[in-house]
Each structure stands twice: as C-alpha cells, then as structure tokens.
Amino acid sequence: MSENEVVSSEQTLIPLQIPEKRELEIPGAPPVRLQTLDLARHIAIAPDHKQYVVATFADRNLGRDYVTTIYPQQGGYHTLVRLPLCEYVFSDPDEALQRHVELVQVIQQGKLRSYLKEK
C-alpha cells in the first residue's frame, strides 16, 4: 500500500461537544473532580451515612442533551456508575442543574426514597 492510498472505513470521528463548566456550590456537599462532559458533580451524604454521587453532564452524542443522575457509592469511594438510582434528561442545562441541587438536598434530608417514588 502506498502512502497516497486511502483505506475505506465506515468509522467516522464524532466531534466531542464539551459543555461550559459551571461553578455550583451546595452547602454540605463536597464537589468531586469533574469528568470531561460534566456540568456538576457532588457527593451527597444521607443522614444514615450512605453516600451518593449526583452528576449532571452533557450527553448529546447519545441523543440526550443533559442528564442528571444519582450513583450510589460503596465503601465511601467506589462510585457504582453502572447502577444509577435514577436519571433525568433535560434539554436545558439550567433545568438539569436545578434538579442536581434538588437531588443533593433531598439526599441530605434523608428523603431520597420518597422523592423517587413521587417522580
């Protein structure tokens, strides 16, 4: 094969759309280092000392604009990303961040189970 020959491939690169990072402070919820597509990520601790990671991220490459989700933590540091407790999809980043704050506060108040039943 010469240098000028092009190999036919059906694979194409999809440009990664990185969202604008936002500072979001929530009392009593330490922030976690943001992943590439994150708008916000915090650790929320329930009154029974269970820990959760609440993450809001852009997911446009999979057809969803913004996703806010809760992941349980095990051992205080293993985030169980394959076992989300819930996911909410939004087209507006401000709405997603509003739900993010709401979820952290619900967890801190120990009302997560009843909140998930309502929503």
Side-chain angles (χ1 to χ4, degrees):
M1 176 188 278
S2 73
E3 290 180 29
N4 294 334
E5 289 184 53
V6 177
V7 175
S8 175
S9 174
E10 292 183 23
Q11 293 181 344
T12 58
L13 294 177
I14 299 172
L16 189 61
Q17 298 176 1
I18 299 175
E20 179 182 321
K21 303 293 182 203
R22 300 184 187 199
E23 291 293 323
L24 183 63
E25 292 187 30
I26 304 172
V32 181
R33 186 176 57 142
L34 296 178
Q35 305 290 325
T36 302
L37 299 176
D38 282 354
L39 295 176
R41 186 174 289 252
H42 290 83
I43 294 174
I45 303 171
D48 63 0
H49 303 290
K50 289 185 180 179
Q51 294 186 18
Y52 303 90
V53 172
V54 179
T56 298
F57 53 92
D59 200 17
R60 292 184 210 114
N61 292 329
L62 293 179
R64 305 183 299 179
D65 289 333
Y66 300 95
V67 178
T68 298
T69 188
I70 300 174
Y71 302 110
Q73 277 195 319
Q74 183 179 31
Y77 60 92
H78 288 294
T79 302
L80 305 175
V81 294
R82 296 196 182 265
L83 298 173
L85 297 178
C86 62
E87 285 189 339
Y88 301 95
V89 179
F90 301 91
S91 58
D92 179 44
D94 292 327
E95 289 178 20
L97 290 172
Q98 182 178 346
R99 179 65 58 94
H100 181 100
V101 172
E102 185 178 329
L103 288 171
V104 170
Q105 292 171 342
V106 164
I107 291 168
Q108 290 173 333
Q109 296 167 3
K111 299 178 181 178
L112 180 60
R113 186 169 288 155
S114 61
Y115 181 88
L116 294 178
K117 287 180 184 177
E118 292 174 10
K119 302 282 180 175

mmCIF file of all heavy atoms in Angstrom, residues 6-56:
data_model
loop_
_atom_site.group_PDB
_atom_site.id
_atom_site.type_symbol
_atom_site.label_atom_id
_atom_site.label_comp_id
_atom_site.label_asym_id
_atom_site.label_seq_id
_atom_site.Cartn_x
_atom_site.Cartn_y
_atom_site.Cartn_z
ATOM 1 N N VAL A 6 -5.900 5.575 0.288
ATOM 2 C CA VAL A 6 -6.766 5.786 1.440
ATOM 3 C C VAL A 6 -7.544 4.504 1.690
ATOM 4 O O VAL A 6 -8.102 3.918 0.773
ATOM 5 C CB VAL A 6 -7.741 6.958 1.177
ATOM 6 C CG1 VAL A 6 -8.683 7.136 2.352
ATOM 7 C CG2 VAL A 6 -6.981 8.232 0.888
ATOM 8 N N VAL A 7 -7.583 4.119 2.940
ATOM 9 C CA VAL A 7 -8.328 2.927 3.304
ATOM 10 C C VAL A 7 -9.776 3.337 3.532
ATOM 11 O O VAL A 7 -10.065 4.293 4.237
ATOM 12 C CB VAL A 7 -7.750 2.301 4.591
ATOM 13 C CG1 VAL A 7 -8.596 1.122 5.034
ATOM 14 C CG2 VAL A 7 -6.316 1.887 4.365
ATOM 15 N N SER A 8 -10.686 2.629 2.910
ATOM 16 C CA SER A 8 -12.099 2.922 3.086
ATOM 17 C C SER A 8 -12.535 2.442 4.462
ATOM 18 O O SER A 8 -12.295 1.310 4.842
ATOM 19 C CB SER A 8 -12.910 2.216 2.009
ATOM 20 O OG SER A 8 -14.275 2.411 2.248
ATOM 21 N N SER A 9 -13.168 3.308 5.176
ATOM 22 C CA SER A 9 -13.632 2.949 6.505
ATOM 23 C C SER A 9 -14.977 3.605 6.754
ATOM 24 O O SER A 9 -15.200 4.747 6.391
ATOM 25 C CB SER A 9 -12.632 3.417 7.558
ATOM 26 O OG SER A 9 -13.149 3.189 8.835
ATOM 27 N N GLU A 10 -15.856 2.859 7.401
ATOM 28 C CA GLU A 10 -17.161 3.418 7.738
ATOM 29 C C GLU A 10 -17.120 4.151 9.067
ATOM 30 O O GLU A 10 -18.088 4.759 9.460
ATOM 31 C CB GLU A 10 -18.201 2.302 7.778
ATOM 32 C CG GLU A 10 -18.465 1.714 6.409
ATOM 33 C CD GLU A 10 -19.555 0.667 6.446
ATOM 34 O OE1 GLU A 10 -20.378 0.692 7.371
ATOM 35 O OE2 GLU A 10 -19.579 -0.171 5.542
ATOM 36 N N GLN A 11 -16.000 4.070 9.744
ATOM 37 C CA GLN A 11 -15.881 4.761 11.012
ATOM 38 C C GLN A 11 -15.594 6.234 10.760
ATOM 39 O O GLN A 11 -14.754 6.586 9.956
ATOM 40 C CB GLN A 11 -14.749 4.175 11.842
ATOM 41 C CG GLN A 11 -15.014 2.771 12.306
ATOM 42 C CD GLN A 11 -13.870 2.248 13.149
ATOM 43 O OE1 GLN A 11 -12.794 2.809 13.147
ATOM 44 N NE2 GLN A 11 -14.121 1.169 13.848
ATOM 45 N N THR A 12 -16.308 7.064 11.448
ATOM 46 C CA THR A 12 -16.053 8.499 11.369
ATOM 47 C C THR A 12 -15.917 9.036 12.786
ATOM 48 O O THR A 12 -16.515 8.514 13.721
ATOM 49 C CB THR A 12 -17.204 9.250 10.663
ATOM 50 O OG1 THR A 12 -18.409 8.999 11.380
ATOM 51 C CG2 THR A 12 -17.349 8.817 9.228
ATOM 52 N N LEU A 13 -15.161 10.059 12.918
ATOM 53 C CA LEU A 13 -14.987 10.678 14.217
ATOM 54 C C LEU A 13 -16.141 11.628 14.478
ATOM 55 O O LEU A 13 -16.519 12.418 13.622
ATOM 56 C CB LEU A 13 -13.669 11.443 14.280
ATOM 57 C CG LEU A 13 -12.414 10.591 14.187
ATOM 58 C CD1 LEU A 13 -11.184 11.478 14.193
ATOM 59 C CD2 LEU A 13 -12.355 9.616 15.353
ATOM 60 N N ILE A 14 -16.699 11.533 15.647
ATOM 61 C CA ILE A 14 -17.777 12.427 16.052
ATOM 62 C C ILE A 14 -17.143 13.496 16.925
ATOM 63 O O ILE A 14 -16.489 13.182 17.920
ATOM 64 C CB ILE A 14 -18.860 11.674 16.844
ATOM 65 C CG1 ILE A 14 -19.470 10.579 15.978
ATOM 66 C CG2 ILE A 14 -19.919 12.636 17.359
ATOM 67 C CD1 ILE A 14 -20.398 9.658 16.719
ATOM 68 N N PRO A 15 -17.315 14.766 16.559
ATOM 69 C CA PRO A 15 -16.713 15.801 17.392
ATOM 70 C C PRO A 15 -17.331 15.809 18.787
ATOM 71 O O PRO A 15 -18.548 15.742 18.934
ATOM 72 C CB PRO A 15 -17.008 17.101 16.637
ATOM 73 C CG PRO A 15 -18.152 16.772 15.738
ATOM 74 C CD PRO A 15 -18.076 15.305 15.455
ATOM 75 N N LEU A 16 -16.486 15.854 19.784
ATOM 76 C CA LEU A 16 -16.937 15.848 21.159
ATOM 77 C C LEU A 16 -17.343 17.258 21.556
ATOM 78 O O LEU A 16 -16.572 18.192 21.420
ATOM 79 C CB LEU A 16 -15.797 15.362 22.064
ATOM 80 C CG LEU A 16 -16.109 15.089 23.502
ATOM 81 C CD1 LEU A 16 -17.155 13.985 23.626
ATOM 82 C CD2 LEU A 16 -14.848 14.687 24.228
ATOM 83 N N GLN A 17 -18.567 17.410 22.005
ATOM 84 C CA GLN A 17 -19.070 18.719 22.419
ATOM 85 C C GLN A 17 -18.911 18.836 23.926
ATOM 86 O O GLN A 17 -19.671 18.257 24.690
ATOM 87 C CB GLN A 17 -20.527 18.878 22.015
ATOM 88 C CG GLN A 17 -20.741 18.819 20.528
ATOM 89 C CD GLN A 17 -22.216 18.890 20.180
ATOM 90 O OE1 GLN A 17 -23.067 19.001 21.038
ATOM 91 N NE2 GLN A 17 -22.507 18.826 18.902
ATOM 92 N N ILE A 18 -17.900 19.583 24.349
ATOM 93 C CA ILE A 18 -17.614 19.733 25.768
ATOM 94 C C ILE A 18 -18.416 20.915 26.302
ATOM 95 O O ILE A 18 -18.330 22.018 25.773
ATOM 96 C CB ILE A 18 -16.109 19.925 26.002
ATOM 97 C CG1 ILE A 18 -15.367 18.687 25.498
ATOM 98 C CG2 ILE A 18 -15.821 20.174 27.479
ATOM 99 C CD1 ILE A 18 -13.874 18.782 25.554
ATOM 100 N N PRO A 19 -19.203 20.693 27.352
ATOM 101 C CA PRO A 19 -20.037 21.773 27.880
ATOM 102 C C PRO A 19 -19.209 22.810 28.631
ATOM 103 O O PRO A 19 -18.084 22.541 29.045
ATOM 104 C CB PRO A 19 -20.983 21.052 28.837
ATOM 105 C CG PRO A 19 -20.200 19.869 29.294
ATOM 106 C CD PRO A 19 -19.364 19.456 28.098
ATOM 107 N N GLU A 20 -19.814 23.961 28.803
ATOM 108 C CA GLU A 20 -19.186 25.021 29.583
ATOM 109 C C GLU A 20 -19.239 24.630 31.053
ATOM 110 O O GLU A 20 -20.295 24.293 31.581
ATOM 111 C CB GLU A 20 -19.955 26.322 29.353
ATOM 112 C CG GLU A 20 -19.422 27.490 30.134
ATOM 113 C CD GLU A 20 -20.263 28.728 29.902
ATOM 114 O OE1 GLU A 20 -20.697 28.956 28.762
ATOM 115 O OE2 GLU A 20 -20.497 29.456 30.881
ATOM 116 N N LYS A 21 -18.094 24.658 31.723
ATOM 117 C CA LYS A 21 -18.047 24.304 33.144
ATOM 118 C C LYS A 21 -18.698 25.418 33.961
ATOM 119 O O LYS A 21 -18.585 26.585 33.644
ATOM 120 C CB LYS A 21 -16.595 24.115 33.607
ATOM 121 C CG LYS A 21 -15.839 23.069 32.825
ATOM 122 C CD LYS A 21 -16.382 21.693 33.048
ATOM 123 C CE LYS A 21 -15.553 20.678 32.291
ATOM 124 N NZ LYS A 21 -16.235 19.470 32.016
ATOM 125 N N ARG A 22 -19.391 25.026 35.007
ATOM 126 C CA ARG A 22 -20.071 25.996 35.870
ATOM 127 C C ARG A 22 -19.708 25.732 37.317
ATOM 128 O O ARG A 22 -19.621 24.581 37.733
ATOM 129 C CB ARG A 22 -21.581 25.900 35.695
ATOM 130 C CG ARG A 22 -22.022 26.179 34.283
ATOM 131 C CD ARG A 22 -23.514 26.154 34.199
ATOM 132 N NE ARG A 22 -23.914 26.249 32.804
ATOM 133 C CZ ARG A 22 -25.107 26.605 32.430
ATOM 134 N NH1 ARG A 22 -26.023 26.898 33.319
ATOM 135 N NH2 ARG A 22 -25.412 26.677 31.154
ATOM 136 N N GLU A 23 -19.524 26.796 38.055
ATOM 137 C CA GLU A 23 -19.275 26.674 39.485
ATOM 138 C C GLU A 23 -20.620 26.513 40.182
ATOM 139 O O GLU A 23 -21.493 27.362 40.047
ATOM 140 C CB GLU A 23 -18.555 27.912 40.015
ATOM 141 C CG GLU A 23 -17.123 28.039 39.512
ATOM 142 C CD GLU A 23 -16.221 26.943 40.053
ATOM 143 O OE1 GLU A 23 -16.373 26.535 41.216
ATOM 144 O OE2 GLU A 23 -15.360 26.485 39.278
ATOM 145 N N LEU A 24 -20.781 25.441 40.891
ATOM 146 C CA LEU A 24 -22.033 25.172 41.585
ATOM 147 C C LEU A 24 -21.684 24.713 42.992
ATOM 148 O O LEU A 24 -21.162 23.621 43.182
ATOM 149 C CB LEU A 24 -22.830 24.098 40.847
ATOM 150 C CG LEU A 24 -24.202 23.746 41.390
ATOM 151 C CD1 LEU A 24 -25.130 24.961 41.321
ATOM 152 C CD2 LEU A 24 -24.800 22.603 40.607
ATOM 153 N N GLU A 25 -21.931 25.571 43.961
ATOM 154 C CA GLU A 25 -21.647 25.237 45.354
ATOM 155 C C GLU A 25 -22.944 24.867 46.061
ATOM 156 O O GLU A 25 -23.938 25.589 45.978
ATOM 157 C CB GLU A 25 -20.980 26.412 46.049
ATOM 158 C CG GLU A 25 -19.584 26.684 45.542
ATOM 159 C CD GLU A 25 -18.858 27.743 46.347
ATOM 160 O OE1 GLU A 25 -19.134 27.858 47.560
ATOM 161 O OE2 GLU A 25 -18.040 28.443 45.757
ATOM 162 N N ILE A 26 -22.905 23.743 46.766
ATOM 163 C CA ILE A 26 -24.061 23.271 47.526
ATOM 164 C C ILE A 26 -23.576 23.046 48.959
ATOM 165 O O ILE A 26 -22.648 22.267 49.173
ATOM 166 C CB ILE A 26 -24.637 21.971 46.934
ATOM 167 C CG1 ILE A 26 -24.987 22.161 45.458
ATOM 168 C CG2 ILE A 26 -25.848 21.511 47.733
ATOM 169 C CD1 ILE A 26 -25.383 20.886 44.744
ATOM 170 N N PRO A 27 -24.178 23.722 49.928
ATOM 171 C CA PRO A 27 -23.736 23.560 51.320
ATOM 172 C C PRO A 27 -23.772 22.103 51.760
ATOM 173 O O PRO A 27 -24.745 21.389 51.533
ATOM 174 C CB PRO A 27 -24.747 24.396 52.120
ATOM 175 C CG PRO A 27 -25.287 25.385 51.133
ATOM 176 C CD PRO A 27 -25.275 24.679 49.797
ATOM 177 N N GLY A 28 -22.685 21.655 52.368
ATOM 178 C CA GLY A 28 -22.610 20.293 52.896
ATOM 179 C C GLY A 28 -22.369 19.214 51.868
ATOM 180 O O GLY A 28 -22.361 18.043 52.196
ATOM 181 N N ALA A 29 -22.166 19.597 50.614
ATOM 182 C CA ALA A 29 -21.939 18.610 49.550
ATOM 183 C C ALA A 29 -20.613 18.927 48.859
ATOM 184 O O ALA A 29 -20.546 19.841 48.039
ATOM 185 C CB ALA A 29 -23.072 18.628 48.544
ATOM 186 N N PRO A 30 -19.568 18.198 49.194
ATOM 187 C CA PRO A 30 -18.283 18.480 48.561
ATOM 188 C C PRO A 30 -18.301 18.157 47.070
ATOM 189 O O PRO A 30 -18.870 17.147 46.663
ATOM 190 C CB PRO A 30 -17.301 17.581 49.306
ATOM 191 C CG PRO A 30 -18.126 16.543 49.966
ATOM 192 C CD PRO A 30 -19.499 17.100 50.145
ATOM 193 N N PRO A 31 -17.713 19.028 46.271
ATOM 194 C CA PRO A 31 -17.637 18.734 44.839
ATOM 195 C C PRO A 31 -16.617 17.622 44.579
ATOM 196 O O PRO A 31 -15.722 17.388 45.380
ATOM 197 C CB PRO A 31 -17.189 20.055 44.218
ATOM 198 C CG PRO A 31 -16.464 20.753 45.316
ATOM 199 C CD PRO A 31 -17.106 20.309 46.601
ATOM 200 N N VAL A 32 -16.805 16.958 43.489
ATOM 201 C CA VAL A 32 -15.901 15.904 43.047
ATOM 202 C C VAL A 32 -15.237 16.396 41.770
ATOM 203 O O VAL A 32 -15.829 17.190 41.033
ATOM 204 C CB VAL A 32 -16.692 14.602 42.769
ATOM 205 C CG1 VAL A 32 -15.784 13.479 42.321
ATOM 206 C CG2 VAL A 32 -17.486 14.185 43.989
ATOM 207 N N ARG A 33 -14.039 15.930 41.508
ATOM 208 C CA ARG A 33 -13.363 16.328 40.275
ATOM 209 C C ARG A 33 -14.265 16.028 39.089
ATOM 210 O O ARG A 33 -14.796 14.930 38.947
ATOM 211 C CB ARG A 33 -12.042 15.588 40.141
ATOM 212 C CG ARG A 33 -11.215 16.047 38.960
ATOM 213 C CD ARG A 33 -9.898 15.357 38.952
ATOM 214 N NE ARG A 33 -10.118 13.912 38.925
ATOM 215 C CZ ARG A 33 -9.372 13.078 38.244
ATOM 216 N NH1 ARG A 33 -8.348 13.505 37.568
ATOM 217 N NH2 ARG A 33 -9.632 11.794 38.257
ATOM 218 N N LEU A 34 -14.445 17.027 38.234
ATOM 219 C CA LEU A 34 -15.353 16.887 37.100
ATOM 220 C C LEU A 34 -14.772 15.981 36.028
ATOM 221 O O LEU A 34 -13.576 16.004 35.752
ATOM 222 C CB LEU A 34 -15.655 18.260 36.492
ATOM 223 C CG LEU A 34 -16.389 19.255 37.395
ATOM 224 C CD1 LEU A 34 -16.577 20.577 36.666
ATOM 225 C CD2 LEU A 34 -17.724 18.703 37.847
ATOM 226 N N GLN A 35 -15.644 15.192 35.422
ATOM 227 C CA GLN A 35 -15.299 14.401 34.250
ATOM 228 C C GLN A 35 -15.394 15.316 33.024
ATOM 229 O O GLN A 35 -15.880 16.441 33.121
ATOM 230 C CB GLN A 35 -16.265 13.221 34.112
ATOM 231 C CG GLN A 35 -16.361 12.347 35.337
ATOM 232 C CD GLN A 35 -15.102 11.550 35.583
ATOM 233 O OE1 GLN A 35 -14.436 11.114 34.654
ATOM 234 N NE2 GLN A 35 -14.766 11.347 36.847
ATOM 235 N N THR A 36 -14.993 14.855 31.879
ATOM 236 C CA THR A 36 -14.929 15.682 30.676
ATOM 237 C C THR A 36 -16.258 16.351 30.329
ATOM 238 O O THR A 36 -16.293 17.531 30.024
ATOM 239 C CB THR A 36 -14.453 14.841 29.469
ATOM 240 O OG1 THR A 36 -13.175 14.294 29.782
ATOM 241 C CG2 THR A 36 -14.355 15.686 28.217
ATOM 242 N N LEU A 37 -17.356 15.646 30.380
ATOM 243 C CA LEU A 37 -18.646 16.178 29.939
ATOM 244 C C LEU A 37 -19.508 16.717 31.083
ATOM 245 O O LEU A 37 -20.654 17.083 30.871
ATOM 246 C CB LEU A 37 -19.417 15.098 29.174
ATOM 247 C CG LEU A 37 -18.718 14.589 27.912
ATOM 248 C CD1 LEU A 37 -19.524 13.449 27.289
ATOM 249 C CD2 LEU A 37 -18.509 15.702 26.916
ATOM 250 N N ASP A 38 -18.966 16.783 32.287
ATOM 251 C CA ASP A 38 -19.729 17.211 33.454
ATOM 252 C C ASP A 38 -20.010 18.700 33.490
ATOM 253 O O ASP A 38 -19.158 19.516 33.144
ATOM 254 C CB ASP A 38 -18.982 16.868 34.741
ATOM 255 C CG ASP A 38 -19.093 15.420 35.133
ATOM 256 O OD1 ASP A 38 -19.840 14.686 34.483
ATOM 257 O OD2 ASP A 38 -18.415 15.029 36.102
ATOM 258 N N LEU A 39 -21.207 19.025 33.955
ATOM 259 C CA LEU A 39 -21.531 20.397 34.355
ATOM 260 C C LEU A 39 -21.338 20.529 35.862
ATOM 261 O O LEU A 39 -20.910 21.566 36.349
ATOM 262 C CB LEU A 39 -22.978 20.731 34.007
ATOM 263 C CG LEU A 39 -23.354 20.760 32.533
ATOM 264 C CD1 LEU A 39 -24.840 21.014 32.368
ATOM 265 C CD2 LEU A 39 -22.560 21.805 31.796
ATOM 266 N N ALA A 40 -21.693 19.472 36.602
ATOM 267 C CA ALA A 40 -21.551 19.475 38.056
ATOM 268 C C ALA A 40 -21.488 18.036 38.549
ATOM 269 O O ALA A 40 -22.065 17.130 37.939
ATOM 270 C CB ALA A 40 -22.712 20.206 38.708
ATOM 271 N N ARG A 41 -20.792 17.846 39.678
ATOM 272 C CA ARG A 41 -20.690 16.520 40.303
ATOM 273 C C ARG A 41 -20.395 16.749 41.781
ATOM 274 O O ARG A 41 -19.450 17.451 42.116
ATOM 275 C CB ARG A 41 -19.577 15.720 39.627
ATOM 276 C CG ARG A 41 -19.469 14.282 40.088
ATOM 277 C CD ARG A 41 -18.443 13.532 39.262
ATOM 278 N NE ARG A 41 -18.931 13.307 37.913
ATOM 279 C CZ ARG A 41 -19.318 12.133 37.424
ATOM 280 N NH1 ARG A 41 -19.260 11.066 38.193
ATOM 281 N NH2 ARG A 41 -19.753 12.027 36.195
ATOM 282 N N HIS A 42 -21.244 16.167 42.645
ATOM 283 C CA HIS A 42 -21.099 16.345 44.089
ATOM 284 C C HIS A 42 -21.318 15.027 44.822
ATOM 285 O O HIS A 42 -22.025 14.144 44.329
ATOM 286 C CB HIS A 42 -22.120 17.360 44.616
ATOM 287 C CG HIS A 42 -21.855 18.755 44.187
ATOM 288 N ND1 HIS A 42 -22.265 19.247 42.969
ATOM 289 C CD2 HIS A 42 -21.203 19.765 44.817
ATOM 290 C CE1 HIS A 42 -21.883 20.511 42.866
ATOM 291 N NE2 HIS A 42 -21.242 20.846 43.963
ATOM 292 N N ILE A 43 -20.750 14.952 46.014
ATOM 293 C CA ILE A 43 -21.040 13.845 46.918
ATOM 294 C C ILE A 43 -22.139 14.310 47.854
ATOM 295 O O ILE A 43 -22.041 15.378 48.458
ATOM 296 C CB ILE A 43 -19.796 13.448 47.726
ATOM 297 C CG1 ILE A 43 -18.723 12.882 46.793
ATOM 298 C CG2 ILE A 43 -20.161 12.423 48.808
ATOM 299 C CD1 ILE A 43 -17.409 12.595 47.479
ATOM 300 N N ALA A 44 -23.200 13.522 47.950
ATOM 301 C CA ALA A 44 -24.304 13.820 48.855
ATOM 302 C C ALA A 44 -24.350 12.722 49.910
ATOM 303 O O ALA A 44 -24.346 11.540 49.585
ATOM 304 C CB ALA A 44 -25.624 13.884 48.092
ATOM 305 N N ILE A 45 -24.378 13.141 51.173
ATOM 306 C CA ILE A 45 -24.374 12.184 52.282
ATOM 307 C C ILE A 45 -25.725 12.243 52.986
ATOM 308 O O ILE A 45 -26.163 13.300 53.438
ATOM 309 C CB ILE A 45 -23.229 12.489 53.263
ATOM 310 C CG1 ILE A 45 -21.887 12.468 52.506
ATOM 311 C CG2 ILE A 45 -23.224 11.488 54.420
ATOM 312 C CD1 ILE A 45 -20.709 12.952 53.315
ATOM 313 N N ALA A 46 -26.361 11.078 53.063
ATOM 314 C CA ALA A 46 -27.666 10.961 53.716
ATOM 315 C C ALA A 46 -27.481 10.893 55.230
ATOM 316 O O ALA A 46 -26.385 10.578 55.711
ATOM 317 C CB ALA A 46 -28.382 9.713 53.204
ATOM 318 N N PRO A 47 -28.536 11.162 56.001
ATOM 319 C CA PRO A 47 -28.442 11.073 57.460
ATOM 320 C C PRO A 47 -28.009 9.691 57.964
ATOM 321 O O PRO A 47 -27.411 9.575 59.028
ATOM 322 C CB PRO A 47 -29.863 11.399 57.934
ATOM 323 C CG PRO A 47 -30.441 12.234 56.847
ATOM 324 C CD PRO A 47 -29.830 11.697 55.577
ATOM 325 N N ASP A 48 -28.288 8.629 57.190
ATOM 326 C CA ASP A 48 -27.862 7.278 57.587
ATOM 327 C C ASP A 48 -26.433 6.974 57.137
ATOM 328 O O ASP A 48 -25.990 5.839 57.177
ATOM 329 C CB ASP A 48 -28.839 6.226 57.055
ATOM 330 C CG ASP A 48 -28.892 6.189 55.526
ATOM 331 O OD1 ASP A 48 -28.179 6.971 54.859
ATOM 332 O OD2 ASP A 48 -29.670 5.372 54.997
ATOM 333 N N HIS A 49 -25.712 8.009 56.699
ATOM 334 C CA HIS A 49 -24.303 7.964 56.299
ATOM 335 C C HIS A 49 -24.055 7.275 54.955
ATOM 336 O O HIS A 49 -22.911 7.038 54.596
ATOM 337 C CB HIS A 49 -23.421 7.343 57.381
ATOM 338 C CG HIS A 49 -23.533 8.052 58.698
ATOM 339 N ND1 HIS A 49 -23.038 9.313 58.912
ATOM 340 C CD2 HIS A 49 -24.120 7.679 59.858
ATOM 341 C CE1 HIS A 49 -23.300 9.692 60.144
ATOM 342 N NE2 HIS A 49 -23.972 8.719 60.744
ATOM 343 N N LYS A 50 -25.108 6.942 54.220
ATOM 344 C CA LYS A 50 -24.923 6.422 52.868
ATOM 345 C C LYS A 50 -24.488 7.580 51.981
ATOM 346 O O LYS A 50 -24.956 8.710 52.128
ATOM 347 C CB LYS A 50 -26.205 5.796 52.318
ATOM 348 C CG LYS A 50 -26.558 4.492 52.986
ATOM 349 C CD LYS A 50 -27.753 3.852 52.322
ATOM 350 C CE LYS A 50 -28.097 2.549 53.015
ATOM 351 N NZ LYS A 50 -29.276 1.914 52.416
ATOM 352 N N GLN A 51 -23.579 7.283 51.066
ATOM 353 C CA GLN A 51 -23.066 8.323 50.187
ATOM 354 C C GLN A 51 -23.481 8.056 48.748
ATOM 355 O O GLN A 51 -23.544 6.907 48.309
ATOM 356 C CB GLN A 51 -21.545 8.384 50.265
ATOM 357 C CG GLN A 51 -21.047 8.836 51.608
ATOM 358 C CD GLN A 51 -19.540 9.026 51.628
ATOM 359 O OE1 GLN A 51 -18.907 9.137 50.594
ATOM 360 N NE2 GLN A 51 -18.964 9.064 52.812
ATOM 361 N N TYR A 52 -23.747 9.155 48.051
ATOM 362 C CA TYR A 52 -24.161 9.097 46.654
ATOM 363 C C TYR A 52 -23.388 10.156 45.887
ATOM 364 O O TYR A 52 -22.994 11.177 46.437
ATOM 365 C CB TYR A 52 -25.659 9.394 46.519
ATOM 366 C CG TYR A 52 -26.533 8.470 47.333
ATOM 367 C CD1 TYR A 52 -26.870 8.786 48.644
ATOM 368 C CD2 TYR A 52 -27.004 7.291 46.786
ATOM 369 C CE1 TYR A 52 -27.669 7.932 49.393
ATOM 370 C CE2 TYR A 52 -27.803 6.439 47.532
ATOM 371 C CZ TYR A 52 -28.127 6.765 48.831
ATOM 372 O OH TYR A 52 -28.920 5.911 49.568
ATOM 373 N N VAL A 53 -23.205 9.912 44.608
ATOM 374 C CA VAL A 53 -22.658 10.930 43.710
ATOM 375 C C VAL A 53 -23.800 11.404 42.832
ATOM 376 O O VAL A 53 -24.476 10.598 42.190
ATOM 377 C CB VAL A 53 -21.503 10.378 42.845
ATOM 378 C CG1 VAL A 53 -21.085 11.395 41.802
ATOM 379 C CG2 VAL A 53 -20.325 10.005 43.720
ATOM 380 N N VAL A 54 -24.022 12.703 42.840
ATOM 381 C CA VAL A 54 -25.017 13.305 41.963
ATOM 382 C C VAL A 54 -24.229 13.978 40.844
ATOM 383 O O VAL A 54 -23.348 14.812 41.105
ATOM 384 C CB VAL A 54 -25.898 14.329 42.710
ATOM 385 C CG1 VAL A 54 -26.907 14.949 41.755
ATOM 386 C CG2 VAL A 54 -26.606 13.652 43.879
ATOM 387 N N ALA A 55 -24.503 13.586 39.619
ATOM 388 C CA ALA A 55 -23.752 14.099 38.469
ATOM 389 C C ALA A 55 -24.706 14.654 37.425
ATOM 390 O O ALA A 55 -25.752 14.074 37.153
ATOM 391 C CB ALA A 55 -22.910 12.989 37.857
ATOM 392 N N THR A 56 -24.314 15.780 36.851
ATOM 393 C CA THR A 56 -25.045 16.365 35.729
ATOM 394 C C THR A 56 -24.044 16.548 34.604
ATOM 395 O O THR A 56 -22.988 17.165 34.793
ATOM 396 C CB THR A 56 -25.683 17.710 36.119
ATOM 397 O OG1 THR A 56 -26.617 17.463 37.170
ATOM 398 C CG2 THR A 56 -26.401 18.336 34.944
#
